[in-house]
Amino acid sequence: MTTHSAADCATCPAHHAGNLLKLGVDMSDSDYVVALAGNPNVGKSTVFNALTGLRQHTGNWPGKTVARAEGGFSYADKRYKIVDLPGTYSLLSTSKDEEIARDFILFGRPDVTIIVVDATRLERNLNLVLQVMEITDRAVIALNLIDEAKRHGLQVDERRLARDLGVPVVPMAARQGEGIPELLQAVHEVANGLAVCKPHRVKSESTAVQRALQQLVQQLTAVYPTLPNARWVALRLLDGDQRIAEAVRSGEIGALSAPENDQNADLLIPLEVAA
Amino acid sequence: MTTYTPRMNELNGQGETAVRETDILQTAETLRWQIGQNFHEQLMEDIYTEAARIADRAVTRAGEKPRFDMDRTIDHIVTSRVWGFPLMVLLFTVVFWLTISGANVPSGWLSYIFLDTLHPLLKEGATAIGMPWWLSGLLIDGMYLATAWVVSVMLPPMAIFFPLFTLLEDFGYLPRVAFNLDNIFRKSGAHGKQALSMMMGFGCNAAGVVATRVIDSPRERLIAIITNNFALCNGRWPTQILIASLFIGGLVPAYLAGFVSAMAVVGIAVLGVFLSFAVSWGLSRSILKGEVSTFSLELPPYRPPRIWQTIYTSVIDRTMIVLWRAITFALPAGAVIWLSANVMIGGVSIAEHLINLLNPLGLLIGLNGVILVAYIVAIPANEIVIPTVLMLTVLVTGATGVGAGAGVMFEMDGSAVRHLLDAGGWTLLTAVNLMLFSLIHNPCSTTIYTIYKETGSKKWTLIATMLPVVMGFIVTFLVAQVWRLLAG
């Protein structure tokens, strides 16, 4: 979809790294919120540091990062706030770090979610990608460690991947700084609606489950007509997800029905949206 | 009306909205029952299949790497339904067999140095400088000997067991063990990662309790904490190994003794694992009800273990730390034992009073008063159970020629220990029940304190402490009754 060749980008004013202004912890007046998700130990923090100029220290064992780190950058005249989420393998189970990541993607409603994936372990990483894309439409895949994959004799066809997933895929070697300009451009396009994502959704439920889903989605949309991810909410309810059930009971889920650019004040992340 | 926020709902009247929202939940609850139990697994599987399909389309390999295949082959075997468990038991049997048969020789050297050579020298030195008998008794016969015993009994098995265990860890085998056990733990209503904290518990229960931090669901974490005690810890291995080689190994010809003893120890360890499942199952169906959470466990690539580094770090980090802990507890315990054996009330020492008091209960459950007193003395550290038992048995039987006096811990070769225990009225039942009770009794005080710190709850600490003791009494009681019934 929106993966550009280097030649295309050379003529694009947004390409030059000079366009990136690292704002560190200055997140005032951000136009967009970007979430950074991914499995543990795939280079999320390297991407975070490259974008914000911060030096966030992370360990590579699960459980070390259970909170989220935040920073800011400015690109093509827009100010972005970026939130580094704890590394997780899935968004389904009930552990604290997964809950933090999921709650932010769901209730924080980031304008763009960058999912950093390890090109050498694509299959495992895609599990998370598919789960994130169940919640949000606007995702960008940062296909990191592409250099390591090459060393292992792996070739990842990022264009095919982008077509299959329905979202932009940017090959990167974040540690070497490769692919950062392309990533910024992709985020910029998705955030500003220049690129439209059509995320791939897993659809292989049995007919019984499909009927159950349909019934629940109907009820959900009756109460919240503009709920953007009713199918996902229904899936979670069927799975007995207490957190989501609580959100439905308390009406918190209704906050998600607000149309874009009309954020409720009680969201986790107060936003000031440019006109 | 294009938006339908909660605020809008309020305008429509709160009652109406509330009904509709609970309606959704009600429907969800009903539908959940209809779609069946394995919905969650199906959901995960769908995602995994889809991820595999997409990844497969996007990735091409320039040529399969042989090591990649090798990993897969090994995983196919060690995590297979048929071979996974037997291999696991075999591997651990080999580790224990190496530990048991390898520890004898250095144990002999150490006891020769510390007990046969240094102890008499110290006593002579004390007499030479005119130290009163009670002071040299307290310091040398009590504190010094207790510590020397612990060092010579514990250091060799630990110096063999820990490096071997760490090598397996370094190789990447432990996550496979967790993988093998995950299914059973989940069926027990516990978290699959409990297998990891249990593995840590085999080294030290306090460490195992801390390791439950990887489990994030509070319910499943509590289960893991309470059942961690059923992982036979380092302080209890020496007891198991000594009793097994004296009594169980003694049942078979000498060339089989080492192997049979190792099998007996593995049997106790496996029983502990089984008890973990059983108690987890019981807890998750009674006081800790709830759903099981799923998790992904990464099976890291196998790596050739870094042998020298592993030996160095496991000796320094694990062996020395555990040994140091044992020594700090052995010092005061040695003093307490010596004092209790030498302070008389009405002509009888405190220790004997206690033993006589507990003897009826001990015999009822196939143990004896000496063992129960030893377990009270050993609350701070399980490591000193055997030294205490031996010392008190000498006291009770009035055996002569095996020690320098009341309350003295000493080292003898195996047959002398066996002889002494036989004189103390020990039978095969006593040995078996001691091995059982050593597995199923309260955690040591360090672990109890750790449980309190981790849970922050007196109630759960109390449950974690008392549950195993009560179970231990019940199990040993039942075994003793059945045994006596069968033996006529």
Side-chain angles (χ1 to χ4, degrees):
Chain A
M1 296 187 42
T2 47
T3 42
H4 298 266
S5 74
D8 283 342
C9 284
T11 58
C12 163
H15 174 66
H16 303 290
N19 250 318
L20 170 67
L21 196 57
K22 298 170 180 176
L23 296 174
V25 290
D26 176 16
M27 292 168 281
S28 52
D29 304 327
S30 55
D31 299 312
Y32 297 113
V33 172
V34 177
L36 203 54
N39 284 14
N41 211 22
V42 292
K44 261 184 301 96
S45 300
T46 316
V47 172
F48 179 83
N49 290 344
L51 293 177
T52 59
L54 292 172
R55 281 181 210 289
Q56 196 208 351
H57 177 79
T58 53
N60 68 2
W61 46 283
K64 175 143 184 169
T65 318
V66 288
R68 45 175 219 242
E70 304 182 358
F73 66 92
S74 169
Y75 180 79
D77 295 331
K78 297 277 194 235
R79 292 169 75 88
Y80 290 82
K81 171 178 162 161
I82 182 159
V83 181
D84 189 12
L85 300 174
T88 57
Y89 293 111
S90 85
L91 297 177
L92 292 174
S93 80
T94 53
S95 77
K96 192 77 200 149
D97 44 355
E98 295 192 1
E99 196 177 303
I100 289 171
R102 190 186 71 184
D103 279 4
F104 187 80
I105 298 171
L106 183 63
F107 297 108
R109 299 227 283 159
D111 296 279
V112 183
T113 302
I114 301 174
I115 313 166
V116 185
V117 304
D118 178 349
T120 65
R121 292 178 174 79
L122 192 59
E123 180 180 333
R124 193 188 68 206
N125 281 247
L126 285 181
N127 292 329
L128 179 75
V129 171
L130 290 173
Q131 289 173 43
V132 171
M133 293 198 317
E134 293 273 330
I135 302 177
T136 178
D137 285 349
R138 306 207 281 185
V140 172
I141 309 295
L143 184 63
N144 198 19
L145 302 174
I146 201 82
D147 50 335
E148 230 175 86
K150 275 192 194 118
R151 262 206 311 282
H152 284 84
L154 297 174
Q155 194 126 44
V156 183
D157 183 352
E158 72 265 9
R159 300 176 65 173
R160 160 135 250 164
L161 195 60
R163 211 161 40 231
D164 280 354
L165 292 174
V167 297
V169 173
V170 183
M172 314 182 62
R175 223 172 329 174
Q176 283 75 37
E178 286 170 33
I180 295 289
E182 289 83 356
L183 178 68
L184 282 166
Q185 182 61 22
V187 169
H188 171 78
E189 286 176 6
V190 172
N192 291 285
L194 303 173
V196 180
C197 299
K198 277 193 172 143
H200 175 80
R201 300 266 151 92
V202 180
K203 275 196 182 70
S204 51
E205 296 96 3
S206 65
T207 44
V209 172
Q210 272 172 4
R211 261 203 307 277
L213 271 180
Q214 210 176 1
Q215 199 179 335
L216 262 187
V217 168
Q218 236 164 33
Q219 290 202 1
L220 277 165
T221 42
V223 182
Y224 311 107
T226 53
L227 188 66
N229 29 28
R231 196 183 96 90
W232 183 83
V233 173
L235 266 175
R236 297 316 303 145
L237 288 177
L238 283 181
D239 202 10
D241 190 315
Q242 288 310 307
R243 173 75 179 85
I244 299 302
E246 190 44 51
V248 170
R249 191 173 298 120
S250 68
E252 190 185 354
I253 213 90
L256 302 177
S257 344
E260 289 308 323
N261 300 343
D262 184 20
Q263 311 278 350
N264 281 353
D266 59 339
L267 279 181
L268 281 179
I269 307 299
L271 283 185
E272 297 213 7
V273 178
Chain B
M1 186 167 67
T2 52
T3 60
Y4 209 100
T5 63
R7 237 169 287 128
M8 297 294 235
N9 283 337
E10 279 161 31
L11 293 177
N12 291 346
Q14 209 151 20
E16 187 197 346
T17 319
V19 169
R20 296 177 75 179
E21 276 150 4
T22 42
D23 271 354
I24 297 175
L25 294 176
Q26 200 97 55
T27 316
E29 243 355 271
T30 325
L31 290 172
R32 280 190 69 200
W33 284 108
Q34 288 171 13
I35 57 176
Q37 281 215 325
N38 56 359
F39 174 66
H40 185 82
E41 275 68 28
Q42 192 56 50
L43 210 61
M44 297 294 282
E45 209 173 304
D46 287 345
I47 291 174
Y48 280 38
T49 318
E50 194 70 3
R53 196 182 62 82
I54 296 175
D56 200 45
R57 279 158 63 97
V59 179
T60 44
R61 288 173 218 285
E64 296 282 320
K65 297 202 70 180
R67 220 186 92 196
F68 187 74
D69 268 347
M70 173 96 133
D71 275 20
R72 279 207 158 171
T73 315
I74 299 177
D75 272 342
H76 268 304
I77 300 168
V78 301
T79 63
S80 97
R81 277 166 198 274
V82 182
W83 296 108
F85 273 91
L87 268 177
M88 219 157 67
V89 171
L90 185 73
L91 213 51
F92 283 109
T93 309
V94 168
V95 167
F96 292 129
W97 178 72
L98 285 175
T99 307
I100 289 173
S101 53
N104 276 333
V105 179
S107 251
W109 294 340
L110 286 174
S111 70
Y112 177 75
I113 296 167
F114 285 117
L115 300 150
D116 299 346
T117 315
L118 262 176
H119 178 245
L121 278 179
L122 283 171
K123 288 292 276 187
E124 277 168 34
T127 321
I129 61 167
M131 196 183 269
W133 72 271
W134 56 267
L135 187 59
S136 78
L138 183 67
L139 291 180
I140 300 168
D141 293 337
M143 297 168 80
Y144 168 78
L145 269 184
T147 314
W149 222 101
V150 164
V151 170
S152 59
V153 165
M154 290 192 55
L155 183 57
M158 281 196 310
I160 299 173
F161 179 72
F162 278 153
L164 287 177
F165 195 76
T166 317
L167 283 175
L168 281 181
E169 201 179 340
D170 208 36
F171 176 58
Y173 183 64
L174 290 200
R176 274 78 186 181
V177 172
F179 180 86
N180 283 340
L181 295 179
D182 165 57
N183 202 17
I184 311 183
F185 271 116
R186 280 188 341 139
K187 280 190 182 136
S188 317
H191 196 286
K193 276 188 192 165
Q194 193 172 319
L196 291 174
S197 61
M198 192 178 74
M199 290 324 264
M200 290 295 293
F202 279 128
C204 168
N205 294 135
V209 168
V210 174
T212 61
R213 284 180 188 174
V214 298
I215 301 168
D216 291 281
S217 136
R219 179 190 79 86
E220 290 161 338
R221 201 175 156 209
L222 269 174
I223 293 179
I225 288 176
I226 294 171
T227 56
N228 194 269
N229 191 42
F230 295 117
L232 207 53
C233 76
N234 178 78
R236 293 181 273 171
W237 289 116
T239 310
Q240 300 287 348
I241 292 169
L242 183 76
I243 299 299
S245 43
L246 284 186
F247 285 86
I248 315 284
L251 294 174
V252 295
Y255 67 95
L256 278 176
F259 176 72
V260 171
S261 317
M263 283 303 289
V265 176
V266 170
I268 291 287
V270 169
L271 176 68
V273 175
F274 172 77
L275 283 174
S276 288
F277 293 141
V279 172
S280 302
W281 185 87
L283 287 172
S284 67
R285 268 155 195 80
S286 55
I287 47 177
L288 285 169
K289 268 190 203 141
E291 286 187 43
V292 178
S293 47
T294 320
F295 72 105
S296 314
L297 180 72
E298 192 174 344
L299 295 182
Y302 289 107
R303 295 197 181 91
R306 298 155 300 170
I307 294 177
W308 293 113
Q309 237 167 315
T310 303
I311 290 174
Y312 177 79
T313 50
S314 64
V315 166
I316 298 302
D317 285 354
R318 288 182 148 169
T319 312
M320 285 308 160
I321 284 171
V322 175
L323 189 68
W324 179 244
R325 193 183 92 89
I327 289 172
T328 53
F329 282 110
L331 279 170
V336 167
I337 295 167
W338 188 87
L339 282 172
S340 72
N342 284 277
V343 175
M344 305 289 176
I345 297 173
V348 179
S349 68
I350 295 176
E352 271 178 289
H353 276 301
L354 264 175
I355 291 168
N356 292 334
L357 185 72
L358 291 172
N359 218 16
L361 175 64
L363 290 174
L364 182 71
I365 60 173
L367 297 171
N368 55 43
V370 168
I371 295 173
L372 291 185
V373 172
Y375 269 99
I376 295 170
V377 174
I379 287 176
N382 282 292
E383 290 84 346
I384 55 178
V385 164
I386 288 295
T388 313
V389 163
L390 291 180
M391 180 281 288
L392 293 173
T393 308
V394 171
L395 186 73
V396 177
T397 58
T400 49
V402 284
V408 178
M409 291 177 174
F410 36 75
E411 169 71 352
M412 299 164 289
D413 60 76
S415 63
V417 172
R418 177 69 202 265
H419 192 71
L420 174 69
L421 292 177
D422 284 343
W426 283 49
T427 61
L428 188 57
L429 170 65
T430 322
V432 169
N433 267 3
L434 174 56
M435 288 176 79
L436 287 173
F437 194 73
S438 160
L439 173 71
I440 322 167
H441 71 91
N442 57 286
C444 71
S445 55
T446 311
T447 306
I448 296 174
Y449 178 65
T450 310
I451 293 173
Y452 178 68
K453 270 200 306 188
E454 292 294 314
T455 60
S457 146
K458 289 195 178 111
K459 178 186 142 201
W460 290 114
T461 310
L462 191 71
I463 289 176
T465 308
M466 294 315 292
L467 183 78
V469 197
V470 174
M471 280 178 62
F473 277 116
I474 293 172
V475 168
T476 48
F477 174 77
L478 290 177
V479 169
Q481 300 318 307
V482 172
W483 189 289
R484 283 166 186 155
L485 210 66
L486 293 179

